[in-house]
Amino acid sequence: AVGTALLLEALIGLLLNGLTILSFYKIKDLQTPSNLLVASLAVSDSGICLNALVAAFSSFQRYWPYGSEGCQTHGFQGFLAALASINTCAAIAWDRYHLNCSRSKLQWSNAMVVILFIWAFAGFWSLMPLLGWGEYDYE
């Protein structure tokens, strides 16, 4: 039951996030700095879906078949995607608040800086357990 739920979440999430990314890429009217944040959210959420896909297969097998290295990779990738997703949601909320309160729109350069910061921040904290500060371990 858990594996089936994870598999459905992964496949539906990959499909819908893929459509979001494709729409941003193909439809010129959607290519705005604010929607770049949404596209970044779709990328990070796709990472979460890929993580769920790996977990689904191990759930079907009823053991973790990927070993310690697979566990480290799975933990890193899942934490990276989750941190990027959470922080991108915060950036989208800030952008909407800023637009409504100041009536000024997000600029491309600012959107790129925010996205680079989000991914660098997520990468730094996701990397720390691999460098010895904490650890990714079997659940």
Side-chain angles (χ1 to χ4, degrees):
V2 172
T4 304
L6 286 169
L7 182 62
L8 283 173
E9 180 265 330
L11 295 177
I12 292 170
L14 285 171
L15 174 69
L16 295 177
N17 285 305
L19 285 173
T20 301
I21 295 165
L22 184 65
S23 296
F24 179 78
Y25 178 73
K26 292 279 191 181
I27 301 171
K28 296 292 182 198
D29 289 342
L30 293 180
Q31 294 176 3
T32 65
S34 292
N35 284 340
L36 184 60
L37 294 174
V38 175
S40 179
L41 179 64
V43 169
S44 61
D45 286 350
S46 294
I48 292 171
C49 293
L50 289 173
N51 202 270
L53 194 60
V54 171
F57 286 123
S58 68
S59 178
F60 289 138
Q61 293 181 353
R62 298 186 186 266
Y63 74 100
W64 183 256
Y66 312 110
S68 180
E69 290 80 18
C71 182
Q72 299 296 312
T73 303
H74 187 258
F76 171 79
Q77 189 271 333
F79 196 38
L80 175 72
L83 278 178
S85 181
I86 290 166
N87 288 307
T88 304
C89 285
I92 292 169
W94 172 83
D95 175 51
R96 301 299 191 251
Y97 169 80
H98 189 257
L99 177 65
N100 288 324
C101 291
S102 70
R103 301 290 181 214
S104 63
K105 292 186 178 183
L106 184 64
Q107 300 299 311
W108 280 103
S109 59
N110 294 344
M112 294 297 287
V113 166
V114 166
I115 289 170
L116 286 172
F117 176 79
I118 286 168
W119 284 94
F121 178 85
F124 174 80
W125 287 110
S126 300
L127 194 59
M128 287 299 104
L130 298 177
L131 299 176
W133 194 15
E135 65 182 333
Y136 295 118
D137 201 3
Y138 299 108
E139 291 183 324

